[in-house]
Amino acid sequence: MLIGSGRSKQFLNVVDRPIGKGKNEVSLSAFAFLFSELVQYCQTRVDNVAELERKLESSGFGIGLRMLELLCHREKGNRRETRLLGILSFVHSTVWKALFGKVADSLEKSTEHEDEYMISEKELLVNRFISVPKDMGAFNCGAFVAGIVQGVLESAGFPARVTAHFVPVEGQPRPRTTLLIKFSEEVVERDRQLGG
Amino acid sequence: MSQVYNLFVINKSGGLIYYKDFGSTAKLDTNNSLQLASVWHSLHAISMEFSPVPDCTGIEFLEADNFDLHCFQTLTGTKFFVVTETGAVGIDGLLRVVYELYADYVLKNPFYEVEMPIRCELFDYHLSNHIRGGKDRPTGGSFR
C-alpha cells in the first residue's frame, strides 16, 4: 500500500488523516454501569471514605490530562489558555460539552477567597443514578469529575485542588453538586502580574 | 389514577427487599410485610407447579373482595407486586415503570448490593414522584 500518497483518502497514513470529531453519543446505561463498577472496584481497595475520594479523583486525573491535549488540538487549533478566567471558561464550556454534551450550569467566583472558584451542576451526569448511603457522610462521586477538572487545570499549568460537594438548593428536593477549585498561590500571583 | 395500597419487591430467594405503603389504608408493620412477602413467594412458586398449562410463569393477578393484587416477575426472578383497590387499571404499566426505576436507580448504584434490602434515596424519590404525580417518567437508556 502506498502510504501518504494522497491518491485516495483510504491510502492516507493515520497521522495524515484529519482528527476525527468522534462519535458524540454514548449509551447512558452503559456508562452508568461502567462507572458503578469503577466505584465498586475503588471501594475494594480503600479503607475509608477519604481514600475512596482520592482514588476516584486520581482515576479522573488522567482523563483530564488527555482531554486538555485533545480539545486544544481539536477545538482551539493547538492553542491553550494562559489566563485564569480563560482556562476556567474553557473547562466550564468546552470540556463540559465534550464530556457531558452541555455547558456546566454555572461558574462562580468565591466571595470569601480570592483563589477559589466554583463550577456547579444541578444534576451531575455521574451522580444521576447514585444514592450515597447516609453512613458515608458527605461523600460525592463527583470526586471523579473533580479529578478530571484538576487534571485539565494542572496540565495547563494551573495547579489547583478540586473537590466535589453536595450543596442543598432552596426550593429543590435534590442538592446540586459544586466543584470547588482552589488555585495555588503562584497561579493567582502570576495572573495578577499579567494584569487585567 | 387508581389507588395503590402497598408495593413489595422480593428477591429471587423470597426475601423482602423493599416495602412501601401509599396512603393510610392497609399499612403493614415490618413483621407483617415480611410474612406477606414470603407467603406470596411460596404461593407463586406453588401455582407454577400446580398449573395444568405447561410453562406457567405463576400468578400475575389475584382478585379479592376488597383488593386486587398484581404481580410482575422479571427474568431474573425478582418479583414486584402491588396491592390496589378493586378494579384498578393500568397497574401492569405501573409495575413495569417500577421495574425500570429499579433497573436505573438501584442496579446502577455502586453502593447497592444485589439481593439485599433496597436503601436508595433516588429510588424512593422517583417512585413516590411517579405514584403521586404519574408524570416523572424514567430517563430511559440513552443520552442526548
Side-chain angles (χ1 to χ4, degrees):
Chain A
M1 190 198 281
L2 291 165
I3 290 173
S5 73
R7 262 200 318 161
S8 149
K9 268 199 173 154
Q10 76 214 44
F11 290 126
L12 275 180
N13 186 302
V14 66
V15 292
D16 294 328
R17 273 185 232 146
I19 194 159
K21 269 274 172 209
K23 199 165 168 264
N24 283 325
E25 222 165 90
V26 65
S27 157
L28 178 56
S29 294
F31 169 76
F33 281 121
L34 183 64
F35 186 69
S36 167
E37 287 304 319
L38 171 75
V39 176
Q40 288 175 59
Y41 172 81
C42 292
Q43 258 185 311
T44 60
R45 260 135 233 273
V46 297
D47 297 322
N48 57 50
V49 177
E51 269 182 50
L52 177 61
E53 208 161 78
R54 269 198 297 283
K55 196 113 195 149
L56 276 177
E57 279 170 13
S58 59
S59 331
F61 194 89
I63 299 175
L65 290 181
R66 290 166 177 79
M67 283 315 282
L68 179 76
E69 200 93 51
L70 177 68
L71 292 176
C72 282
H73 185 71
R74 195 185 269 167
E75 313 276 344
K76 304 191 69 84
N78 268 336
R79 298 162 69 86
R80 102 178 134 68
E81 299 292 340
T82 52
R83 298 302 301 270
L84 198 74
L85 286 178
I87 193 77
L88 280 170
S89 73
F90 173 78
V91 170
H92 165 267
S93 49
T94 316
V95 173
W96 234 254
K97 246 189 200 148
L99 290 174
F100 307 119
K102 63 186 274 295
V103 297
D105 290 340
S106 76
L107 169 64
E108 292 158 278
K109 185 175 177 14
S110 161
T111 45
E112 289 151 35
H113 302 277
E114 179 78 344
D115 55 350
E116 287 183 358
Y117 291 82
M118 289 161 298
I119 292 179
S120 302
E121 185 79 5
K122 217 171 107 225
E123 191 186 40
L124 198 62
L125 187 83
V126 299
N127 279 336
R128 162 97 48 108
F129 302 114
I130 297 181
S131 321
V132 180
K134 294 243 166 10
D135 60 347
M136 295 187 81
F139 173 74
N140 187 328
C141 286
F144 179 69
V145 182
I148 297 180
V149 173
Q150 189 165 341
V152 170
L153 292 175
E154 216 143 287
S155 54
F158 294 84
R161 173 92 187 104
V162 187
T163 45
H165 308 272
F166 281 120
V167 178
V169 190
E170 231 176 282
Q172 287 284 333
R174 313 276 327 142
R176 64 177 187 180
T177 295
T178 294
L179 302 183
L180 182 68
I181 304 167
K182 188 175 175 61
F183 286 103
S184 306
E185 275 171 46
E186 72 260 26
V187 176
V188 185
E189 184 53 36
R190 183 184 65 204
D191 207 63
R192 194 175 306 127
Q193 278 171 10
L194 285 169
Chain B
M1 194 167 184
S2 315
Q3 173 75 47
V4 176
Y5 297 141
N6 341 68
L7 164 76
F8 300 77
V9 182
I10 45 186
N11 66 15
K12 57 170 167 271
S13 36
L16 181 68
I17 55 171
Y18 191 79
Y19 167 75
K20 197 170 175 72
D21 39 42
F22 303 97
S24 50
T25 354
K27 266 193 190 308
L28 292 175
D29 62 29
T30 319
N31 262 340
N32 283 334
S33 59
L34 283 165
Q35 256 170 25
L36 208 125
S38 24
V39 168
W40 181 254
H41 178 74
S42 322
L43 267 177
H44 195 271
I46 293 167
S47 74
M48 279 155 77
E49 299 294 319
F50 271 173
S51 165
V53 191
D55 301 327
C56 172
T57 53
I59 311 174
E60 285 172 3
F61 175 50
L62 181 114
E63 202 175 0
D65 281 346
N66 41 17
F67 71 91
D68 281 358
L69 191 154
H70 298 253
C71 177
F72 168 63
Q73 181 171 235
T74 70
L75 290 173
T76 50
T78 307
K79 276 189 276 293
F80 295 84
F81 67 97
V82 287
V83 178
T84 67
E85 62 182 348
T86 49
V89 288
I91 300 301
D92 286 352
L94 172 79
L95 285 170
R96 269 157 189 78
V97 171
V98 177
Y99 181 28
E100 229 172 286
L101 291 172
Y102 168 80
D104 272 351
Y105 296 102
V106 177
L107 296 184
K108 288 173 189 165
N109 183 359
F111 305 110
Y112 173 70
E113 270 176 78
V114 188
E115 307 286 310
M116 295 306 276
I118 299 169
R119 274 186 226 97
C120 302
E121 217 182 304
L122 283 174
F123 179 65
D124 283 331
Y125 172 71
H126 288 275
L127 186 69
S128 39
N129 253 8
H130 183 80
I131 301 269
R132 268 192 286 109
K135 56 180 186 295
D136 188 67
R137 297 287 307 166
T139 48
S142 65
F143 163 44
R144 269 181 253 169

